Amino acid sequence: MFYRDERLALFIDGSNLYAAARALGFDIDYKLLRQEFMRRGKLLRAFYYTALLENDEYSPIRPLVDWLHYNGYSMVTKPAKEFTDSLGRRKVKGNMDIELAVDAMELAPYLDHAVIFSGDGDFRPLIEALQRKGVRVSVVSTIRSQPPMIADELRRQADNFIELDELRDVIGRPTRDARTDMVEADS
């Protein structure tokens, strides 16, 4: 699926990848993820997209965002929008699809292969546009969760589908809950 001399870029839909890995019961080790794709080709960029709650004193994702920023990832963030729905529930909205699509199209002339970490069907037209520019596109998500985390039309459009669960041994680490269980088992 990958050629050693091809120019790669990673486009990581942070919330989508987090949800897929969580559904499979593991956490992503982003250092290992970057190393894995550096091994597969010439990694030009690794983008990570996420919305942040700016008004909270502490955001649980802030340490990850800071770590990624200092460790080779191009961070693309924007403030999440908070609102109250018609039933009075507090909701947070932070869609990063446009930012990811714009970056992918801008980088396309310099790429041989784009790897999109998302199962969001909204990315199907992006994949089609990248392919028209001669870029091969792989999508990383999962069909092994219930329900599957990847839209069927996205999987069909991609040149390659990479099952996230098959990367578990290469880029995964146990979830915090599993690590706690392992420590208790060792006691």
Side-chain angles (χ1 to χ4, degrees):
M1 287 191 284
F2 289 83
Y3 305 105
R4 273 302 287 138
D5 63 339
E6 69 183 355
R7 299 165 300 168
L8 300 174
L10 309 181
F11 300 92
I12 301 170
D13 176 349
S15 62
N16 196 286
L17 179 59
Y18 173 80
R22 186 88 178 169
L24 293 171
F26 73 98
D27 288 331
I28 304 290
D29 183 322
Y30 287 96
K31 182 178 182 180
L32 294 176
L33 185 147
R34 192 165 172 275
Q35 288 173 349
E36 174 61 19
F37 284 91
M38 286 173 72
R39 187 184 63 72
R40 291 183 182 208
K42 295 177 182 172
L43 184 61
L44 301 183
R45 287 275 180 279
F47 290 96
Y48 186 95
Y49 301 85
T50 190
L52 298 171
L53 281 172
E54 296 295 331
N55 58 351
D56 283 0
E57 291 224 357
Y58 172 76
S59 170
I61 196 169
R62 177 53 73 182
L64 173 63
V65 167
D66 290 341
W67 187 92
L68 291 171
H69 200 121
Y70 284 108
N71 287 277
Y73 284 84
S74 297
M75 297 304 303
V76 182
T77 62
K78 72 178 179 185
K81 306 253 189 285
E82 281 188 82
F83 64 96
T84 305
D85 71 9
S86 60
L87 299 175
R89 295 177 298 204
R90 180 177 165 236
K91 296 281 188 174
V92 177
K93 185 176 182 180
N95 191 318
M96 300 294 294
D97 292 3
I98 297 297
E99 290 81 357
L100 190 153
V102 168
D103 288 343
M105 290 305 292
E106 283 183 346
L107 212 54
Y110 311 101
L111 294 179
D112 300 309
H113 197 153
V115 184
I116 300 174
F117 290 76
S118 182
D120 188 337
D122 290 344
F123 289 124
R124 193 205 57 74
L126 169 64
I127 292 173
E128 191 176 28
L130 288 168
Q131 289 167 332
R132 282 193 307 268
K133 292 186 173 293
V135 178
R136 290 187 331 115
V137 182
S138 291
V139 173
V140 180
S141 189
T142 187
I143 58 171
R144 294 186 182 163
S145 59
Q146 287 302 326
M149 298 292 290
I150 186 165
D152 191 51
E153 64 271 16
L154 189 69
R155 190 170 167 213
R156 288 174 188 264
Q157 186 67 50
D159 295 296
N160 302 302
F161 168 68
I162 300 171
E163 171 58 54
L164 181 61
D165 198 32
E166 291 176 8
L167 292 175
R168 178 193 303 251
D169 293 341
V170 180
I171 66 165
R173 62 174 189 236
T175 60
R176 285 189 180 91
D177 297 341
R179 284 194 299 258
T180 304
D181 294 344
M182 287 182 350
V183 169
E184 290 172 1
D186 291 342
S187 303

